[in-house]
Every structure is written in C-alpha cells, then in structure tokens.
Amino acid sequence: MSLTIVTPPAEEPVTLTEAKNHLRVDLTDDDSLISALIVAAREHAEAITRRAFITQTLKLSLDAFPANNGPIYVPMPPLQSVNSLKYFNTGGVEQTLTEGTDYLVDNESEPGRITPAPDTGWPATQNRPNAVSVEFVAGFGDASKVPQGIKQAILLMVGHWYENREAVTMQGNNAGELPMAVDSLLMMHRIWRFV
C-alpha cells in the first residue's frame, strides 16, 4: 500500500498572521521560517491524527482489491469524494470502474470506505505491484472548518520550534521535549483504525 499527494492543500490551517500573533512577533524577518514551521507542524499533526485537515487530493495504491469483496478503507479522513478507481485487469490493461454501477462510496464513516455495488464484486487484477489505485479528495474543507484543538496544537508546535531551534530544550540540567499538551490536543482527533 502507498499513499501519495496529488494536489496539496491550497492553504494551511493556521495563517502566518495567526502564528505571528501567537508568537508575539511584529517583524517580518522570520516570516519564511515561521511559514515553514506552520507547514511542518501541520504535516506532523496530520501524521499523528492520520487525517487530512485542508482539502487535498491523494492517491491510494494497492496491490489487489481486498479479499472476499471486502471494503477499501480510504485513509486520511474525512473523505469528501472519490475521483477515480482504476485497476489493471488480468491482461495488464488499465480499467476504470464507475461509481454507483461498480462501487459505492461511504464518506460518512471514518475512515471512509469503498465497497462493491450490490450484486457485484471486485474484479480480478493482474499480479503486479500497485494494481489498484484510488484517487480521492479528503480534508475538513478550508481552514475555517479545521477543529480548534488541531489549530491550537499547530500553534503550540510552531511556538515551541520557534523558541527552541533544536530537538530538545534545556531547563537547567534537564532536557525537555515538545510539551505534552500537543499530544493531548491531537489525540482527540486521531483515527485509530489504520488501513
């Protein structure tokens, strides 16, 4: 299984202005650094929660359809839509399945899933890596729809990384890692079923 980004998010859950307000920074000297920290914090938060925050297009590749006509669980919820479901048939020719006729999309469950349409099943695939591919759109929408706990966790990470340019901070003779508050905020939004 592999997951790749086709179209990245068009914006970040936290703006540069919001981050600078959180950091109490008025100058523009560190704008590039702060912007990079926002991206890194979002990527880290998405990895912990196993979610896509801002609308983005991703591609899931599988070596075959699930056994016994089981569902394809689509990672990085919330699932908005499926753009395409393609596979290589036993002859090695790429085919495209049709939503509604060949498969159904459940974007209400988390993670979302794709199942064969009633009275159908998954077709046979060629024995090859990445024989099945699903291109899909995921995310809460724009930044205004991202839960506030996630935004706060991103701001905490940006603040910590801005103040501490190394992996750990020194407090006296003790080294301290990223504050536990970040984990607490993100775990509320974590998807526990991993595909």
Side-chain angles (χ1 to χ4, degrees):
M1 179 183 98
S2 70
L3 186 65
T4 55
I5 298 172
V6 176
T7 306
E11 63 180 338
E12 294 297 328
V14 171
T15 66
L16 176 61
T17 301
E18 290 170 327
K20 287 175 71 171
N21 287 339
H22 176 77
L23 298 170
R24 296 184 180 99
V25 172
D26 295 326
L27 304 173
T28 60
D29 297 354
D30 287 344
D31 283 5
S32 294
L33 170 64
I34 296 167
S35 294
L37 293 175
I38 292 168
V39 173
R42 188 248 316 148
E43 289 173 346
H44 182 74
E46 284 181 331
I48 288 174
T49 61
R50 300 176 180 163
R51 288 183 176 277
F53 299 150
I54 302 293
T55 297
Q56 53 194 277
T57 304
L58 301 126
K59 180 181 173 186
L60 173 67
S61 298
L62 306 167
D63 290 342
F65 284 107
N68 302 317
N69 292 317
I72 297 172
Y73 289 99
V74 183
M76 303 300 285
L79 173 64
Q80 292 182 21
S81 62
V82 172
N83 291 344
S84 66
L85 175 51
K86 299 180 180 185
Y87 72 100
F88 287 94
N89 66 16
T90 54
V93 178
E94 188 175 53
Q95 304 289 318
T96 301
L97 296 176
T98 304
E99 184 175 349
T101 303
D102 300 315
Y103 66 91
L104 302 176
V105 175
D106 171 13
N107 59 2
E108 292 182 24
S109 298
E110 287 197 340
R113 58 191 173 156
I114 303 169
T115 60
D119 302 320
T120 69
W122 294 127
T125 60
Q126 187 176 49
N127 186 15
R128 64 182 284 168
N130 305 314
V132 177
S133 66
V134 180
E135 185 177 288
F136 63 97
V137 179
F140 291 107
D142 63 20
S144 69
K145 294 182 178 64
V146 176
Q148 191 59 43
I150 290 171
K151 290 182 179 187
Q152 187 61 38
I154 289 170
L155 288 172
L156 288 173
M157 284 188 277
V158 169
H160 182 75
W161 293 338
Y162 184 76
E163 290 297 320
N164 306 285
R165 308 290 169 100
E166 303 299 327
V168 295
T169 61
M170 294 303 294
Q171 298 171 349
N173 291 329
N174 299 321
E177 294 183 5
L178 189 60
M180 195 174 92
V182 170
D183 288 340
S184 298
L185 288 166
L186 293 176
M187 286 305 175
M188 295 185 307
H189 301 282
R190 183 179 172 100
I191 292 297
W192 293 99
R193 180 185 191 115
F194 186 71
V195 232

